[in-house]
Structure formats: C-alpha cells, structure tokens
Amino acid sequence: MAADADGEIRSLLARVAQLADAGDIDEYISQFTDDAVWAMPANPLMGMDASTRQGHEAILEGVRERRAGGVQGPGTNTRHVITTVAVDVQDDAHATARSYYLFFGDTTTTPTLRTMGQYDDVFVKGERGWQLAHRTITLG
C-alpha cells in the first residue's frame, strides 16, 4: 500500500508542476485540498513578494497574478523540473514529501535557470484521492 501511495504522490507532484507551466487552472487547483496552504518566500529576481495563501481562492489569486505577469503559465515557455523526491507515507491518508525543484524560463530558445529550491509538502488522501494540503517553498 505504501508503494502505491508513493507512486501516486510522485504523480501528483508531477501534475502540479506541469499544470503550473501549461495547464488549466481549474485542473491545477483540484490537486489541492480545499483548505490548502501555499507558503512562498520573497523572490526578488522574479519580482515576487513573500506570501502565505490558504484555500482555493487565495491560491488561485497567486496563480492568476503569476500568469498575468508572464512568470508562468501557458505561452510563457517555462518548466518546473521536480527532482530528488523523498516521500514518507505515515498511514493510508497522510504523507509528506521533500523535493527539489528547478524553474526554467525561455525553454524554447535559450533555457535559463530562473530559480531553484525545495518543496516541503504535506498530502492527505480523501474522496478525491491524494491532494496537496500544505506546501512550504524554500529558495536555494
């Protein structure tokens, strides 16, 4: 059972990254619990202030801001690369993961590493399967 959860969570991490780069925002937010928390530090290189957002609407506001600013989303030629993933399944409904990410821009011309860091994630499994409940992002 833990092996199934591990694979499902790794797939969820990949889906979130792919949907951030080029997917539908309704499908993107469906990967999160209704009360999910997204904690992100300031990133001056990308013109982003530190923020902690809770709940679908607040997280979607951040997605819309990043897309409107051309930071990520369809047509921006960006890619989130998720690597070095360690999943810890506590039980049938709770898990955590730590993974590293690389965020590239200009992927169709001259790929440029814009930022990199670490995701510390908490997952819960409910009626909709595994979902992201809490993400803390650390730069570097």
Side-chain angles (χ1 to χ4, degrees), residues 19-94:
L19 290 166
D21 292 328
D24 176 77
I25 62 171
D26 290 331
E27 186 177 355
Y28 174 83
I29 201 64
S30 74
Q31 309 304 306
F32 295 81
T33 61
D34 293 341
D35 61 349
V37 174
W38 180 275
M40 187 163 69
N43 189 338
L45 292 175
M46 296 182 63
M48 298 168 65
D49 295 328
S51 66
T52 298
R53 299 174 184 269
Q54 183 166 9
H56 278 192
E57 197 50 46
I59 293 170
L60 281 172
E61 181 182 336
V63 171
R64 290 183 189 113
E65 288 171 3
R66 290 188 297 277
R67 288 183 175 203
V71 174
Q72 68 184 44
T76 61
N77 301 316
T78 60
R79 292 290 182 264
H80 286 81
V81 178
I82 310 301
T83 185
T84 319
V85 178
V87 177
D88 180 24
V89 179
Q90 282 88 40
D91 58 40
D92 291 347
H94 301 90

